[in-house]
Amino acid sequence: MPQPHTAVYTGSFDPVTLGHLHVIERAARLFDKLIIGIGVNADKKPLFEPHERVALLETVTHDFPNVSVKVFSGLAVDFVRSVDANIMVRGIRPLTDTAGEFTMMMANHQLDPGIETVFLMADERFAHISSSLLKQIASLSDDDEQLAKFVPLKIIAELRGKLRS
């Protein structure tokens, strides 16, 4: 009997974008289990606290029974090992992410050659979306329909509330 394949998709998800969600949907179809790892970087000042990002991701991934969300700090390869996985999923946007993601993959391979990295190219509809772009749009526009082109509709209220405070 084949062993189940567990993959880990790490990122800051501050907040989760439609691009992130698209990668999650695709990875959830490819792997038996997908763990979303929310990385905590002490050098960055996030918009959402880690527990808030967990709640947002759990809201938008509710319909995927094989997806779970966890917070981690430290190296992503250590987190992948800690959840008994050996596959890292990385979403890449054309041109903007390729060089950085390749460098990260090579470093991760040096740290743990047993962990494979799978790249999922962003769909053209989401290739330009970044968390910083959607924060800017959300702060400058009150039009939820416009914002829903970048961020899951289910989290718009939380995003607007956070930006107001």
Side-chain angles (χ1 to χ4, degrees), residues 12 21 35 44 51 54 56 68 74 81 89 100 122 125 128 132 147-148 156-157 160:
S12 61
L21 188 56
I35 300 168
K44 290 187 177 181
H51 71 279
V54 167
L56 294 175
S68 62
R81 255 188 261 114
V89 171
R125 297 172 295 159
H128 63 287
S132 57
L147 190 54
I156 288 177
R160 291 212 182 276

Side-chain angles (χ1 to χ4, degrees), residues 91-99 120-124 126-128:
I92 56 174
R93 295 172 288 177
L95 302 176
T96 59
D97 292 343
T98 308
L120 295 177
M121 183 70 72
D123 185 274
E124 65 186 30
F126 310 119
H128 63 287

Side-chain angles (χ1 to χ4, degrees), residues 103-133:
T103 300
M104 185 64 68
M105 182 217 36
M106 296 303 292
N108 287 337
H109 185 73
Q110 289 292 314
L111 293 168
D112 190 331
I115 295 176
E116 293 293 337
T117 302
V118 174
F119 294 106
L120 295 177
M121 183 70 72
D123 185 274
E124 65 186 30
R125 297 172 295 159
F126 310 119
H128 63 287
I129 300 174
S130 67
S131 293
S132 57
L133 174 66

